[in-house]
Amino acid sequence: MKQNKQFFINGREDEVLLKDWETCDGCIASDRITVDGLPVGYMYREKPGDETWDSGWRFTAGDESDEYMQTAENCGIYKLNTICQYDPDITPLLHAPYGTAYIRDENGVFQEEPFEPLEE
């Protein structure tokens, strides 16, 4: 069933924050960011499949349950610049290689974290 999402609008919709990006610029983000307006709390980059849009980046607020994340309607495909508009703090981290993850600490600063991609 298709649902109409009420996206969180923060006034940055027209800003180009991701400059000099020369590869696939799609990503997946949870509705906790794009609908509820929470900042990115956890982000990781996996090697993308065959999709030509996929940068490999995945963004969550960090408080989503497994059940929440297993419901496809709770996430969406976006351009990286769109998620940068929601949370500009991620922008300098996006050139990290596949297999990289960052978690926001108690002071609101991203820290690199070990990441083990799921095997297919």
Side-chain angles (χ1 to χ4, degrees), residues 46-110:
E46 59 188 9
K47 190 163 179 57
D50 294 332
E51 297 85 2
T52 58
W53 57 266
D54 193 3
S55 69
W57 279 111
R58 311 295 182 248
F59 302 96
T60 68
D63 65 355
E64 296 88 344
S65 67
D66 287 341
E67 181 181 356
Y68 182 93
M69 292 304 295
Q70 290 173 4
T71 304
E73 293 81 19
N74 291 333
C75 294
I77 297 170
Y78 303 93
K79 291 201 172 286
L80 282 172
N81 191 74
T82 300
I83 305 306
C84 291
Q85 291 166 342
Y86 278 92
D87 190 346
D89 292 348
I90 69 169
T91 307
L93 306 174
L94 294 178
H95 289 284
Y98 302 124
T100 301
Y102 295 97
I103 190 165
R104 198 181 294 265
D105 68 17
E106 62 277 356
N107 297 316
V109 177
F110 279 110

Side-chain angles (χ1 to χ4, degrees), residues 21-48:
W21 189 265
E22 297 182 8
T23 185
C24 302
D25 67 347
C27 65
I28 298 173
S30 87
D31 287 354
R32 297 288 289 144
I33 297 164
T34 59
V35 175
D36 298 336
L38 294 175
V40 173
Y42 182 69
M43 57 190 277
Y44 63 94
R45 190 175 194 192
E46 59 188 9
K47 190 163 179 57

